Amino acid sequence: MVTRNNIQRPKFNLQKLGRVRKQALKSNSTSYKSVVSTNIQHVRRISKKKAQQKQKVIKHAMDSAIVKAGGVREATMKEAPVQKEEPIVVKAVPSGPGTTLGAPSADSLIPDIPGVPIDARSEGMLRERICRAIGINGSRFIGAQPVSFTRTTLQELKSEDYFVAEKSDGVRVLLYCVLNERGQQQVFLVDRKNKFSYVPQLRFPIAGNLQAYHNETIVDGELVTDQEPDGSQVVRYLAFDLLAYNGQNIIKKPLRSRLARLQQEFVTPYRELLKVAQPQFVREQPFKVGLKEVNLSYGIEKMFREVLPRLKHGSDGLIFTSAVAEYVPSTNVKMLKWKPPSENTIDFRLSLEFPTNQGVPDYNQKPQFVLHEWQGGQQYNRFGLMAVDDGLWEHWKSTSTPLQNRVVEVNYSPNDMTWRFFRFRDDKEHGNHSSVVRKVQESIRDGVERDELLQAQAEIRSAWKQRESYQQQQQQQQQQHQQQQHYQ
């Protein structure tokens, strides 16, 4: 069994490695020397980044959240002015094959998460607090996770009301609003790794009173980078669910109810605030906020014909979510992720295994790229190999790309029956759990192509209308019964 210890800590014989590097330099060839040394360079970059983040924390100490018993407090009793945050850095991430579903660009621009990191103690307490806000114990990431689409789940769309939305190529982020003991709102962004970032520029008022602000409100959504026609890039937060607002836990409510409240109680008041706010406040907003467009489940043709072609950001599929089910803060079987079978991907942790010469790793040779699937906790099992052609390997070496223990997203190539590199997933701490891996494999074997999905649209619509008619009849009968009781 592969564990975190023996994955993350490859053992190198430094003396022998030094001889290999000298030989490579003499031969004037590109070897793995740059990739091996990258491990040290990568650690140095991380240390430098952490030092910079620490300086930011000190600089923004008056704004940073420190959780105390009973609430979130600021580091001092004196309120500091909101300081202008550095602009969001947008980095290009190759999307690989299969991006024709969304924006016409071959590359998707993935925005960095804005904000100031907070100290570990405060973060730990906030993790527990956000869990308590929706009535669960622990301190884990509470975002719902979809399951892969198969022919079996296609029947689900015919038996229950679902909404459908595009699957954005962005960064999944929860937005968490709290009030500190002085009644001042503090807004945090929570990524998949359950890391909290404090964003001092953001303020979200409640409906009907722009002077009062949300407390214990949790929104689910994702950050995307839209490429505008004039060539500019705009970061947007696309909200698609509401878990709690003003201390009310609503995860048991149906999605159609949660979406209505998300619009009325969160997005609309924020837009009203921007209309009357000072220009400087508007300029300093780190992103624009909006609702992700959703359609009824039988609007599949509309999604392919109208919605996906006009997107300004990358998209790699569709998400079907039950309109009547509750929110599940873990794997949600009522949230279905559709992609063409050939475009389904899995996230694994990557490690490199080099050929040996008399028991010594030969770093001049091309290694095996080993994929490990997550078992939970810090345990991993070996899954298989990732096929990497010589051109990509040489590119990684020449650019000193860190590889060891990195999470990679791969897709399956049916032509040569191999797993191929799609992109790095630095936004994730772990790869997909082994249970998810099995479901994706099933989706690849028993997946639904686009044409099959379109053909099912008529049956999905017919079943929806039948349920709708039945519900209307039930409501009419109930009203008649109530009227009869009233006159008796």
Side-chain angles (χ1 to χ4, degrees), residues 65-349:
I66 298 179
V67 181
K68 303 286 186 180
V72 176
R73 301 185 181 182
E74 293 186 339
T76 69
M77 295 301 293
K78 181 179 178 181
E79 182 181 2
V82 175
Q83 301 186 32
K84 187 174 182 180
E85 195 72 15
E86 295 180 1
I88 294 177
V89 179
V90 178
K91 56 183 179 181
V93 178
S95 293
T99 57
T100 55
L101 286 170
S105 173
D107 294 337
S108 293
L109 298 174
I110 308 299
D112 285 345
I113 298 176
V116 181
I118 63 176
D119 64 275
R121 179 176 178 273
S122 300
E123 187 171 62
M125 298 182 74
L126 278 171
R127 287 172 177 171
E128 294 179 355
R129 181 172 175 175
I130 196 173
C131 286
R132 289 197 302 270
I134 60 170
I136 64 175
N137 297 321
S139 58
R140 60 181 175 82
F141 179 68
I142 61 173
Q145 305 296 331
V147 298
S148 295
F149 202 99
T150 64
R151 283 186 172 81
T152 303
T153 54
L154 182 61
Q155 185 61 35
E156 181 75 12
L157 300 183
K158 302 174 185 178
S159 60
E160 191 170 303
D161 292 353
Y162 271 76
F163 292 140
V164 60
E166 56 94 6
K167 184 178 178 296
S168 301
D169 195 2
V171 181
R172 173 76 174 280
V173 175
L174 297 176
L175 191 151
Y176 183 35
C177 302
V178 295
L179 296 182
N180 62 21
E181 62 178 7
R182 300 171 62 189
Q184 297 165 330
Q185 188 185 61
Q186 295 173 318
V187 180
F188 300 90
L189 299 180
V190 190
D191 66 12
R192 288 176 180 266
K193 296 180 180 179
N194 215 15
K195 298 295 293 181
F196 283 66
S197 297
Y198 170 49
V199 189
Q201 303 97 322
L202 291 173
R203 293 291 183 272
F204 291 97
I206 64 175
N209 185 359
L210 298 183
Q211 301 300 317
Y213 297 96
H214 276 277
N215 183 35
E216 296 297 342
T217 294
I218 308 171
V219 178
D220 200 351
E222 52 198 336
L223 287 169
V224 300
T225 302
D226 281 348
Q227 300 190 64
E228 300 297 333
D230 62 1
S232 63
Q233 297 168 1
V234 177
V235 178
R236 285 186 170 86
Y237 182 71
L238 301 180
F240 54 73
D241 213 326
L242 182 66
L243 286 66
Y245 76 99
N246 282 336
Q248 297 183 48
N249 175 11
I250 61 171
I251 64 172
K252 298 295 184 182
K253 300 287 185 181
L255 176 59
R256 54 166 53 105
S257 174
R258 301 197 305 270
L259 286 177
R261 296 190 186 191
L262 177 61
Q263 171 75 65
Q264 298 166 5
E265 305 290 341
F266 190 82
V267 175
T268 298
Y270 175 73
R271 289 176 174 172
E272 291 175 351
L273 175 65
L274 294 183
K275 292 178 182 178
V276 299
Q278 294 293 328
Q280 181 179 356
F281 174 82
V282 177
R283 287 195 302 269
E284 291 181 348
Q285 296 303 285
F287 45 72
K288 295 183 180 297
V289 177
L291 284 174
K292 173 173 277 194
E293 180 179 346
V294 296
N295 287 276
L296 304 182
S297 58
Y298 55 82
I300 300 170
E301 183 180 358
K302 178 183 177 182
M303 293 296 299
F304 286 120
R305 187 183 68 249
E306 300 178 18
V307 177
L308 295 178
R310 70 167 181 260
L311 289 177
K312 299 176 183 178
H313 55 266
S315 176
D316 60 352
L318 302 175
I319 291 287
F320 293 88
T321 309
S322 172
V324 297
E326 63 186 56
Y327 187 95
V328 179
S330 59
T331 301
N332 185 358
V333 296
K334 296 293 186 178
M335 182 183 287
L336 313 174
K337 175 179 63 176
W338 177 86
K339 291 182 180 182
S342 59
E343 296 180 14
N344 273 290
T345 59
I346 306 178
D347 300 332
F348 294 103
R349 177 170 284 177

